[in-house]
Short mmCIF file of all heavy atoms in Angstrom, two decimals:
data_model
loop_
_atom_site.label_atom_id
_atom_site.label_comp_id
_atom_site.label_asym_id
_atom_site.label_seq_id
_atom_site.Cartn_x
_atom_site.Cartn_y
_atom_site.Cartn_z
N THR E 465 48.89 98.94 172.94
CA THR E 465 48.14 98.97 174.20
C THR E 465 48.81 99.93 175.20
O THR E 465 48.14 100.70 175.89
CB THR E 465 48.06 97.55 174.79
OG1 THR E 465 47.42 96.73 173.82
CG2 THR E 465 47.30 97.51 176.09
N ALA E 466 50.13 99.87 175.26
CA ALA E 466 50.86 100.74 176.22
C ALA E 466 50.58 102.21 175.92
O ALA E 466 50.26 102.99 176.82
CB ALA E 466 52.35 100.45 176.13
N LEU E 467 50.66 102.58 174.65
CA LEU E 467 50.55 104.01 174.32
C LEU E 467 49.11 104.50 174.36
O LEU E 467 48.86 105.70 174.56
CB LEU E 467 51.16 104.29 172.94
CG LEU E 467 52.68 104.10 172.85
CD1 LEU E 467 53.17 104.45 171.45
CD2 LEU E 467 53.42 104.95 173.87
N GLU E 468 48.17 103.59 174.18
CA GLU E 468 46.76 104.02 174.25
C GLU E 468 46.30 104.22 175.69
O GLU E 468 45.31 104.90 175.94
CB GLU E 468 45.86 102.98 173.56
CG GLU E 468 45.92 103.09 172.03
CD GLU E 468 45.10 102.03 171.32
OE1 GLU E 468 44.65 101.07 171.97
OE2 GLU E 468 44.91 102.17 170.09
N ALA E 469 47.04 103.64 176.63
CA ALA E 469 46.63 103.74 178.05
C ALA E 469 46.91 105.15 178.57
O ALA E 469 47.86 105.80 178.12
CB ALA E 469 47.42 102.74 178.87
N PRO E 470 46.09 105.64 179.50
CA PRO E 470 46.38 106.95 180.08
C PRO E 470 47.67 106.89 180.91
O PRO E 470 48.00 105.83 181.45
CB PRO E 470 45.17 107.21 180.99
CG PRO E 470 44.54 105.89 181.21
CD PRO E 470 44.90 105.01 180.07
N VAL E 471 48.36 108.02 180.99
CA VAL E 471 49.64 108.05 181.72
C VAL E 471 49.42 107.68 183.19
O VAL E 471 50.32 107.17 183.87
CB VAL E 471 50.29 109.45 181.59
CG1 VAL E 471 51.58 109.53 182.38
CG2 VAL E 471 50.55 109.77 180.12
N SER E 472 48.18 107.87 183.68
CA SER E 472 47.90 107.54 185.08
C SER E 472 48.20 106.07 185.39
O SER E 472 48.52 105.72 186.52
CB SER E 472 46.44 107.86 185.43
OG SER E 472 45.59 107.15 184.56
N LYS E 473 48.18 105.21 184.37
CA LYS E 473 48.45 103.77 184.57
C LYS E 473 49.91 103.51 184.97
O LYS E 473 50.22 102.44 185.48
CB LYS E 473 48.17 103.00 183.27
CG LYS E 473 46.71 102.81 182.99
CD LYS E 473 46.35 101.36 183.28
CE LYS E 473 45.10 100.95 182.55
NZ LYS E 473 44.67 99.60 182.92
N ILE E 474 50.80 104.44 184.65
CA ILE E 474 52.21 104.21 184.98
C ILE E 474 52.70 105.19 186.05
O ILE E 474 53.88 105.21 186.40
CB ILE E 474 53.12 104.30 183.72
CG1 ILE E 474 52.86 105.61 182.96
CG2 ILE E 474 52.92 103.09 182.82
CD1 ILE E 474 53.89 105.91 181.89
N GLN E 475 51.76 105.99 186.58
CA GLN E 475 52.13 107.04 187.53
C GLN E 475 52.83 106.45 188.78
O GLN E 475 53.71 107.07 189.35
CB GLN E 475 50.88 107.84 187.93
CG GLN E 475 51.16 109.10 188.75
CD GLN E 475 52.02 110.12 188.00
OE1 GLN E 475 51.84 110.33 186.81
NE2 GLN E 475 52.96 110.75 188.71
N TYR E 476 52.44 105.22 189.17
CA TYR E 476 53.03 104.64 190.38
C TYR E 476 54.56 104.50 190.24
O TYR E 476 55.28 104.68 191.21
CB TYR E 476 52.38 103.29 190.73
CG TYR E 476 52.63 102.19 189.73
CD1 TYR E 476 53.63 101.23 189.93
CD2 TYR E 476 51.87 102.07 188.56
CE1 TYR E 476 53.86 100.22 189.01
CE2 TYR E 476 52.10 101.07 187.64
CZ TYR E 476 53.10 100.14 187.87
OH TYR E 476 53.34 99.15 186.95
#
Side-chain angles (χ1 to χ4, degrees):
T465 301
L467 293 181
E468 283 177 348
V471 178
S472 57
K473 285 255 202 185
I474 52 168
Q475 189 61 40
Y476 66 98

